[in-house]
Every structure is written in C-alpha cells, then in structure tokens.
Amino acid sequence: MKSVGLRIEPEDGAFPGVDTVLAALPDVRRDGLYVLDRLGDGTYAMLYRVVGGDGDELRAVLADHEEVLEFDVVDAGDRRHYVFVNVLARESVDALLDVVEAHRLLLNPPFRVTDDGLCVTVSGDPDSLREAFTDVEDLDISLTVEWTGGFQPDAPTPLARLTDRQREALQVAHRLGFYETPREASYEEIGTELDCAPSTANELLRRAEACVVDALLDG
C-alpha cells in the first residue's frame, strides 16, 4: 500500500455550508476534522475540533444553519471545543467520497484544516490511487499532492508523512551535525552524501521539516 498527502483547496479556504460558517467566526480556528462519515440516509456525520470562541457562540450559529440536522458542542478545556454536526449532503463532497469508495481507498483522519483548505491522507493500492487521481481530474476541485510515501500505520505520524528521500535527507543532516549549535554541516556536505546538488538538499530538508512541524502541531 501507498499513502498520499493531499491538500484540497476550496474557494476562500473553506467548503460551502457549515465549514464556511465556522471559518467566518472571529477568534475561532478549525483545528482539525476528526470524523467525516457518509451515513445511510446520505447525510454526513462530522466531528470538528475548534480552538477559540465559546460554546454558546458555536451553538447559536449551528442552531440557525439550514443544513444542520443535529449538533452538539463539547467543551474540552483550554479554549478547545469538539463540534459534532449531522448535515445535509454536498454534491462536491459526495463526488470525492464516490471516488474513494469506487477505488477502495482509505481516508486516514484526522484531517488538518489550514487557511488554504483541508489536508487529507489517502492510502491504498498504488494502481488504485493512480486511477483515482485520473477520476478526480474530471471534477471541478482544486487538489494538490503534498507528499507520497509508503503506508506505515505503526510509524510516528511525523515520519509517516515523509517520502523516503526526505527521511534520508533528515537522517543524513542529523548524522552530520546540521542541527547542532553551532551548525556542523553545510548543504554542500549533505548534498554530497545524498548525491545531489546543494539546492536539492536544501529543498528536501525544507519540505521534510515542514511536514514534521505540521504533524507535531496537529495534536
């Protein structure tokens, strides 16, 4: 099996419906989407974790939303809330879930929410993943591949997001003392070990570091 990290980019950084409403609340940040299930009646069950705001404010906007069938807001302390919503289906989301189901792929939550959209990890047979990407190209959805790698369910989350080459670059940089203070290695030395140009070594490390930081901050 292979895993792919995707960034789904809706207009204005939020999906139509409840997601847009939550994104528009002042001082509220959507920290992650922990559950996205399509139920037997065609509606969705979703569980967000949000940071900021207060429970009464969240309950008020959900109670007034025409697409929300049921909701609950749980205070988790430290200005965090878990927001459960049962909402009506959306055509664009249905189209993506149809592709996932048709090719027997796995969605690996939680999904990280950023200002640009939703970061999702998808796993499956390599041929099925390639066929799924072909199907997605026919949809009116902006999607970017952020990383690819082997499926590693038991690996620590930060390392599981790295490609083999990014992981090798981090290991070489660490072994040569690149992360010591003062720094004991240069991009030229790392590139020599990796048999690549210094600029390539720089790019590999920057992408690997970004993946690791993002994964650590997810929790």
Side-chain angles (χ1 to χ4, degrees):
M1 290 181 70
K2 291 290 185 180
S3 293
V4 180
L6 306 173
R7 186 173 71 251
I8 305 171
E9 304 168 359
E11 292 185 12
D12 300 322
F15 295 90
V18 171
D19 196 50
T20 298
V21 171
L22 293 176
L25 288 174
D27 301 323
V28 172
R29 173 170 57 86
R30 297 158 298 152
D31 194 39
L33 181 59
Y34 284 71
V35 175
L36 172 56
D37 284 341
R38 181 160 52 178
L39 305 181
D41 61 0
T43 64
Y44 307 142
M46 304 167 67
L47 180 66
Y48 282 91
R49 186 172 73 175
V50 302
V51 178
D54 61 67
D56 290 339
E57 179 184 28
L58 292 166
R59 293 182 187 93
V61 297
L62 295 174
D64 289 339
H65 199 288
E66 60 185 11
E67 296 182 13
V68 175
L69 304 175
E70 186 178 353
F71 71 89
D72 193 12
V73 177
V74 178
D75 184 357
D78 195 25
R79 303 188 72 240
R80 283 178 162 80
H81 298 85
Y82 285 93
V83 178
F84 164 78
V85 288
N86 176 211
V87 296
L88 297 174
R90 278 277 175 173
E91 184 177 348
S92 57
V93 179
D94 265 347
L96 283 173
L97 293 178
D98 285 344
V99 172
V100 170
E101 291 179 4
H103 296 283
R104 295 181 171 85
L105 304 180
L106 299 176
L107 292 175
N108 306 320
F111 310 133
R112 182 165 50 90
V113 183
T114 72
D115 292 338
D116 298 320
L118 192 66
C119 297
V120 179
T121 299
V122 183
S123 301
D125 175 81
D127 289 337
S128 297
L129 286 167
R130 282 191 290 271
E131 293 168 1
F133 286 129
T134 299
D135 289 350
V136 170
E137 289 176 355
D138 296 331
L139 305 178
D140 186 22
I141 295 173
S142 178
L143 184 148
T144 302
V145 176
E146 293 199 316
W147 59 268
T148 61
F151 179 64
Q152 301 180 48
D154 297 326
T157 301
L159 296 182
R161 292 186 176 185
L162 301 180
T163 65
D164 292 341
R165 191 64 164 159
Q166 289 170 348
R167 189 178 298 106
E168 181 185 12
L170 276 182
Q171 290 170 337
V172 168
H174 183 267
R175 174 167 54 81
L176 294 180
F178 183 77
Y179 295 107
E180 297 294 330
T181 304
R183 183 169 288 174
E184 298 176 0
S186 65
Y187 290 117
E188 288 78 7
E189 293 169 308
I190 296 169
T192 298
E193 289 283 326
L194 295 172
D195 193 23
C196 68
S199 59
T200 302
N202 180 11
E203 180 71 11
L204 284 168
L205 286 177
R206 286 198 302 106
R207 289 184 177 275
E209 291 160 358
C211 281
V212 170
V213 170
D214 284 346
L216 291 172
L217 292 179
D218 278 352

